[in-house]
Amino acid sequence: MKDNQKKALLRKLKEENCFWSYDISKMDDISDEALIEYVLLYLDIDDINQLFPLFGYKKVKRVWLDRVAPQGEMFRNYNILYAWYYFGAKRPEAYVKSIETRHINKLMAP
């Protein structure tokens, strides 16, 4: 069942041309983290809602914190929505800004 759901999400990502820079023939088996990231970035709420029963709240949030939220201005509105709607942030704009700042500080650290 879970494999079928993962394959359906991957198929939808391919149909949406989300892997335009990749060799699609080699995209049959991507990591859970990459699948979660791409669904959060490119698919709709119904698809995102499937991630939580499929992977669990903690894993989805970890991928969001590590791979999606730090992406900055381009996805800021999405991230504010996710922070509020999915992750219960009381001040979602400030929360997302702090994640972005933390990420930049990690990159700049010696």
Side-chain angles (χ1 to χ4, degrees):
M1 175 85 164
K2 286 187 177 189
D3 282 341
N4 290 340
Q5 289 175 304
K6 287 180 187 181
K7 287 178 183 177
L9 289 171
L10 183 59
R11 186 173 45 256
K12 191 162 185 182
L13 287 165
K14 287 179 181 179
E15 289 169 1
E16 296 290 326
N17 202 26
C18 296
F19 301 114
W20 59 270
S21 65
Y22 294 93
D23 181 357
I24 296 284
S25 65
K26 297 179 182 175
M27 295 297 297
D28 288 335
D29 191 33
I30 65 172
S31 70
D32 291 348
E33 291 78 10
L35 181 62
I36 293 167
E37 175 184 5
Y38 277 88
V39 169
L40 287 170
L41 292 175
Y42 300 114
L43 295 184
D44 61 25
I45 293 290
D46 291 332
D47 300 312
I48 293 167
N49 288 340
Q50 291 180 45
L51 294 175
F52 293 93
L54 194 57
F55 298 105
Y57 177 86
K58 285 183 180 183
K59 186 168 189 171
V60 174
K61 185 173 184 181
R62 176 57 37 213
V63 171
W64 176 71
L65 287 169
D66 292 345
R67 297 172 75 153
V68 178
Q71 292 197 27
E73 191 173 329
M74 185 172 168
F75 294 103
R76 186 167 294 131
N77 289 336
Y78 288 132
N79 285 318
I80 290 168
L81 171 70
Y82 299 155
W84 169 75
Y85 186 75
Y86 290 111
F87 306 117
K90 302 263 189 263
R91 296 177 40 226
E93 290 178 22
Y95 184 56
V96 169
K97 184 67 177 164
S98 72
I99 294 167
E100 292 171 354
T101 301
R102 207 171 320 134
H103 179 73
I104 290 169
N105 289 340
K106 278 185 196 176
L107 294 175
M108 303 299 282

